[in-house]
Amino acid sequence: MKLSTKGRYAVTAMLDLALHSGEGPITLAEVSGRQHISLSYLEQLFARLRKANLVDSIRGPGGGYELKRPPTQISVAEVVLAVNEPITATRCNGKGDCQGGDVCLSHQLWTELSDQIYQFLSGITLDKVIQRDFVQQVAERQNTRFQDKDVIAFG
């Protein structure tokens, strides 16, 4: 299974929101600055995440995005599926038409792998990821660099 940029960026952006939950609405410009994801791409992803009821959009001055539920209640699989990213290892995306409209010899094997990947990603919440020491260290570095850029840009 290869997770596309869309799925990886959606998970990364949601982890950023989870790391900063409780700080009020987070702008996409902040996420973009910390994660080096283009603002226009984030806007597309967040439209889908909002439709999937994973984030709330707060309008006006001081607005931005917040997680709709606590990070303990949002799985990585939900995020990936919200941006229309299939969680499948099959060439046919699970349709069973991999060989001229019929299933191929290895279809069942890849379907079983897809099920395992889905179960794995369903069992990991945003909170479980952000609690990892490595993730905390990366987030601290990103926050420091982002804040330093703000000081340079506006100082």
Side-chain angles (χ1 to χ4, degrees), residues 7-37:
R8 285 185 288 113
Y9 282 1
V11 170
T12 300
M14 289 291 283
L15 289 171
D16 190 280
L17 282 189
L19 282 160
H20 297 279
S21 65
E23 297 177 14
I26 305 299
T27 67
L28 292 184
E30 291 172 298
V31 176
S32 175
R34 283 189 292 263
Q35 304 308 326
H36 303 274
I37 303 171

Side-chain angles (χ1 to χ4, degrees), residues 90-108 110:
T90 62
R91 184 174 59 190
C92 63
N93 287 330
K95 296 176 190 163
D97 61 357
C98 20
Q99 191 172 40
D102 294 320
V103 296
C104 65
L105 284 175
S106 57
H107 179 82
Q108 190 61 39
W110 304 131

Side-chain angles (χ1 to χ4, degrees), residues 1-153:
M1 177 189 153
K2 182 179 181 221
L3 192 59
S4 76
T5 302
K6 184 171 36 174
R8 285 185 288 113
Y9 282 1
V11 170
T12 300
M14 289 291 283
L15 289 171
D16 190 280
L17 282 189
L19 282 160
H20 297 279
S21 65
E23 297 177 14
I26 305 299
T27 67
L28 292 184
E30 291 172 298
V31 176
S32 175
R34 283 189 292 263
Q35 304 308 326
H36 303 274
I37 303 171
S38 88
L39 189 55
S40 60
Y41 201 74
L42 284 171
E43 288 168 348
Q44 294 171 34
L45 293 175
F46 272 76
R48 292 178 180 189
L49 294 167
R50 195 168 17 96
K51 284 181 185 175
N53 287 316
L54 294 178
V55 296
D56 268 332
S57 172
I58 292 84
R59 296 182 183 266
Y65 286 90
E66 295 178 322
L67 297 177
K68 188 120 178 169
R69 302 189 311 258
T72 55
Q73 296 177 12
I74 300 173
S75 75
V76 172
E78 283 182 274
V79 175
V80 172
L81 292 172
V83 295
N84 298 325
E85 183 72 21
I87 299 177
T88 182
T90 62
R91 184 174 59 190
C92 63
N93 287 330
K95 296 176 190 163
D97 61 357
C98 20
Q99 191 172 40
D102 294 320
V103 296
C104 65
L105 284 175
S106 57
H107 179 82
Q108 190 61 39
L109 175 68
W110 304 131
T111 298
E112 291 170 12
L113 176 60
S114 298
D115 293 344
Q116 291 294 315
I117 293 169
Y118 176 78
Q119 291 303 318
F120 175 75
L121 294 178
S122 292
I124 300 175
T125 63
L126 298 179
D127 187 64
K128 283 182 183 177
V129 177
I130 66 171
Q131 294 304 320
R132 295 176 177 175
D133 288 338
F134 176 76
V135 173
Q136 291 289 321
Q137 292 168 6
V138 171
E140 188 176 318
R141 183 196 72 223
Q142 290 174 335
N143 288 334
T144 301
R145 287 184 181 166
F146 184 71
Q147 290 167 354
D148 289 347
K149 285 182 181 178
D150 277 350
V151 170
I152 294 167

